[in-house]
Amino acid sequence: MHILPLQIRFNDIDMMGHINNAIYLEFFDLGKEHYFTESEIDLYNEDFTMMIVHVDVDFHSQVHFSDRIGVTTKVLRFGNKSVEFEQHIVSLGADGKPEAGKTAIATCRTILSGYSRSRQASALVPDDVKERLARLS
């Protein structure tokens, strides 16, 4: 499991005093981006890239400006042309690790599809990409 601490910005907070629901998707994207970077996978400058084809988010509790949170990311499964991720927004303790005994604030499952820029079509996820992603899960 991979953990990325998150910084809550003033403009992330809505009129109710908690993080706006749309911001959670940005946090989940940051988690996936950091996961790919840590896996040494360049999705920006190569022919092979991945694009989101499905997102499913459940919100369990509120987050306020002063809360310490992070996003956990792991691969659930690999398909021939897809990767399914599971992510959680969690409360972090002073040590930067998820607080024991606390449930996730929000949960996300995302399916990304392999894509070839040159062919403008779906593509198989290369074995080396799968291997690098699997190392962090």
Side-chain angles (χ1 to χ4, degrees):
M1 176 179 58
H2 177 267
I3 301 172
L4 176 66
L6 297 168
Q7 178 181 359
I8 300 171
R9 302 163 300 179
F10 178 76
N11 57 324
D12 294 337
I13 305 301
D14 64 17
M15 295 296 289
M16 297 296 294
H18 60 252
I19 292 179
N20 183 284
N21 289 356
I23 300 301
Y24 286 87
L25 291 173
E26 293 179 23
F27 288 162
F28 289 127
D29 282 347
L30 285 170
K32 285 187 290 292
E33 170 64 28
H34 199 263
Y35 194 96
F36 279 106
T37 300
E38 291 291 310
S39 299
E40 299 179 347
I41 297 170
D42 183 358
L43 296 178
Y44 299 105
N45 299 304
E46 304 293 332
D47 183 59
F48 176 80
T49 191
M50 300 196 84
M51 59 179 56
I52 293 173
V53 295
H54 180 81
V55 177
D56 185 17
V57 179
D58 290 310
F59 302 97
H60 307 292
S61 61
Q62 300 179 57
V63 174
H64 298 92
F65 186 72
S66 62
D67 293 345
R68 293 176 46 103
I69 61 170
V71 58
T72 65
T73 304
K74 69 178 182 179
V75 173
L76 275 185
R77 69 169 189 85
F78 293 103
N80 291 327
K81 293 183 176 183
S82 64
V83 179
E84 183 176 358
F85 285 90
E86 180 179 73
Q87 296 177 281
H88 300 277
I89 301 293
V90 295
S91 295
L92 297 180
D95 60 358
K97 295 181 180 176
E99 290 186 316
K102 290 212 173 179
T103 59
I105 295 163
T107 304
C108 179
R109 289 200 177 190
T110 307
I111 298 173
L112 287 88
S113 176
Y115 187 79
S116 167
R117 284 186 172 93
S118 62
R119 293 185 303 114
Q120 295 287 299
S122 65
L124 294 173
V125 178
D127 288 339
D128 69 310
V129 169
K130 290 179 182 180
E131 289 168 13
R132 287 188 247 162
L133 290 172
R135 285 186 210 141
L136 287 181
S137 283

